[in-house]
Amino acid sequence: MRTDAFALRHIGPRENDLKIMLKTIGAATLDQLISETIPNDIRLKSPLDLAPAMTEYEYSNHIQQLGNKNKVFQSYIGLGYNQAIVPAAIQRNIFENPGWYTAYTPYQAEISQGRLEAILNFQTMVIELTGMEIANASLLDEGTAAAEAMALLFDVRSRDQKKNNINKFFVSEEILPQTLSVLQTRSAPIGVELIIGNHETFDFSTEFFGAILQYPGKYGQVNDYTDFIAKAKNNEIKVAVAADILSLTKLTPPGEMGAAVVVGTTQRFGIPLGYGGPHAAYFATKDEYKRSMPGRIIGVTVDTDGNRALRLALQTREQHIKRDKATSNICTAQVLLSVMAGMYAVYHGPKGLKYIANKIHSLTATLSNELEKLGLQQTNTAFFDTIVVNADAKKIKSIAEQNEINFYYIDDTTISISLNETTSVADINKIVSIFASANDTQANTIVNLSETNHFPSNLERTSTFLQHDVFNKYHSETALMRYIKMLERKDLSLNHSMISLGSCTMKLNAATEMLPLSNANWNNIHPFVPLDQAQGYQEMLQKLENQLSIITGFAGTTLQPNSGAQGEYTGLMVIRAYHQSRGDQHRNIALIPSSAHGTNPASAAMAGMKVIVTKTLENGNIDVEDLREKAILHKDNLACLMVTYPSTHGVFESAIKEITQIIHDNGGQVYMDGANMNAQVGLTNPATIGADVCHLNLHKTFAIPHGGGGPGVGPICVAKQLVPFLPTNPIVATGGSTAITAISAAPWGSALVCLISYGYISMLGAEGLTDSTKHAILNANYIKEKLKGHFHTLYSGEMGRAAHEMILDCHPFKKNGIDVTDISKRLMDYGFHAPTISFPVHDTMMVEPTESENLEELDCFCDALISIRKEIDASTIEDKNNVLKNSPHTLAMLTADVWDFPYTRQQAAFPLEYIAENKFWPSVRRANDAYGDRNLVCSCAPIEAYMEE
């Protein structure tokens, strides 16, 4: 065995296993299986033109050398990004811990209680700091959170406002520039007109439905918005506030001023800068708007025994119920980052957060005083951590960069300085010395800090926050470490067993890919530093863009979208811009197969397109004739087709090239959803099938971990004609020659985690990537054949093969009184996370093993399902007290004095021999979703406070 070949570490099946697996599936060779799975006319004719694969050791040295090209200056740039201290206990026990970063979205509540509690802490933190009533489980970044706030306020307009098409949205000129750019992108397609101006001169016209304010302002000015919000309310204008979360420990929270929505980023709560992300945004609003809230919400409920349990509340109602009527396409969050931010608040507690905020404010006030002593004018009349100084920007910049310091240069005579948690007295002495040097004066050495608040007393926070026990008992490292471990033990992650979720590709997140994320040369770079300070990043990002372009067969790539759904939206906005550039503004029809993921129609609606659904055949394939008929019918207005390939049903449809040609013949572009790209890499690609743009889930195919539901990265790759329209950023220009405005806040989105995909591709190389795809298809077909006779595979290709995933039909088991939910809960007793259930077909399981799972794990999973099938056969529709209906079985049940079940404890918890060696215990019984819906509780308040009468 080649010990230095990364592919052998990443791919699960050993060479000796291949004979067994191929015999089971009835193929003489792996290449025969592939030829029977993928239509020959779309197979690549030559290997991917990528650099040779690096060994893990070579890659580690390479990424270290590349990181050394980045210059880590002290950055006081601000604009929503601040250097933060990541507590070592959180870095080691969460950020670097596969028990946390390899977990999946907590759809299966009973084996996700630890993560759910950590996110509930985050929600509670947000609710209390903002003074609002309800918060979600994080969003992608501040810019997109602000856009979601605008969309929510547009959705909750009064009946008269909707009737009169009131569509103006006021944006304060104090808003962060990147937020404004995202608002501009998101507003136009849905018919919202942005009016940018001074909040002090706003006329509160009845033409407006909403407004957004920045608190403190983009350059640090703290304004009292109480009167503005009151006047707006009197005129039926609802106000959103983008607020710095740390400042809210000192300043009156927007909720107490009457805000309808409060958004922002939690990056400064112990999250690395990472050249722009990933960072968890927050979104808080009033309880009356909860049904219009974007994203996920963690709710408190009870389990079968009446004990407290947590779950995802209102989880996917937006896309999968409302589809093109949804107000948001958000289907992800930044869970790992929100867990870290919430744990930061747990570790420091309310007193610790106040101490950090007071220290930063005192340093800022002292700096302001000292600069004024030098004869410089500081123009902010009230501030928290940011001041504005009138000085010769060119001269200051030269001296500052010699001292490895970055400020934000507003114009030639105006400089903004934002201090942060890492700033010390020595640092402000250094800053003062720079300004003194530029003025040819001598600075005094600062020893004592100012203790005077530099904002009006009426804006000083008087309300308490974070009074719950969880924020007041884990302040020693020992206590925090044990708390984190207690939560971790409640979650089933990839470090325990296979997570075979169809469409989600829960593959190995290799340690060598992950380690660079902890390196300060990579994680401590502000997204708006001059490019010459980020040469390592620029080289890595450009190489990754090139790698992805080669893999997809396209001409250009943008890494800016920081989720898959955002990638969908970006692809459609680029298509929209392309049509508009040709004078085809009328092209607004998006054809979408009925089997498509729910985010597809939601994204199309957000991009201002009208959705026309096309039929699928009984075998799951697209109905080509129906598609042709609708494409011809709408040819004058056809914008695009949205297609997933291989299909959502896990099949390579042989008519795909005919399908894409139909769209092109009728003036449209083809968007390919890259959710299933793990079955394409190295064997075929989107360009070959005739697509014009695709998004890629780097958190699926390209090995970024799911992190419990995020971080995600959803770049798009595009054909030559679409390259000019790739998105830009208002601070650091990116994208094409006629770029659309920003999609997300940072120029390269979640740049830090792009290192993972860069490592994955660089260490696998062309051959390793192709072998990974082949083994993903092999593993899926092995499971399909092993389960034959026990579970029926609903769809197969023309030669009876699955792609990288398959759909198992569970509908027939209803005659035994068993549904797919029972099977998913019973799998927990066998030590496995359930596959994707009831999507895209109700009463089914979609299984995707990935290439990383070895034969032993595949066999254990198959043995578990075969054993469950026997339990199903032994069940009857009249019997509600059986091993499936009572699953999962907790340790408390097994150790109770009384056992009132008609099967043994061993049958309940140890039905197969392998389980005893590595038993995973669900920490609660089945979560009661109906109870949770009736009693929506989304913070840490004790459950007793919400019990039904």
Side-chain angles (χ1 to χ4, degrees), residues 73-99:
F73 286 12
Q74 285 282 0
S75 285
Y76 305 109
I77 296 170
L79 293 180
Y81 299 95
N82 297 275
Q83 197 171 337
I85 297 171
V86 185
I90 293 174
Q91 177 172 319
R92 175 57 58 91
N93 293 297
I94 296 176
F95 187 62
E96 297 174 347
N97 182 351

Side-chain angles (χ1 to χ4, degrees), residues 34 37-39 42-44 505 507 551 644-647 650-652 672-686 689 696 700-702 760 769-778 780-781 802-805 848 850-851:
I34 299 305
T37 304
I38 303 177
I42 62 167
R43 288 288 301 275
L44 298 182
T505 318
K507 64 171 65 177
I551 287 166
T644 301
Y645 200 76
S647 74
V651 173
F652 283 95
M672 192 205 85
D673 188 309
N676 294 338
M677 193 68 195
N678 208 46
Q680 284 198 41
V681 179
L683 300 176
T684 183
N685 64 33
I689 70 169
L696 301 171
K700 295 182 182 181
T701 303
F702 296 96
Y760 173 80
L769 286 167
T770 306
D771 283 346
S772 293
T773 309
K774 290 178 178 179
H775 282 83
I777 293 170
L778 170 71
N781 280 279
H804 63 312
E805 63 189 7
E848 180 182 354
T850 85
E851 71 275 12

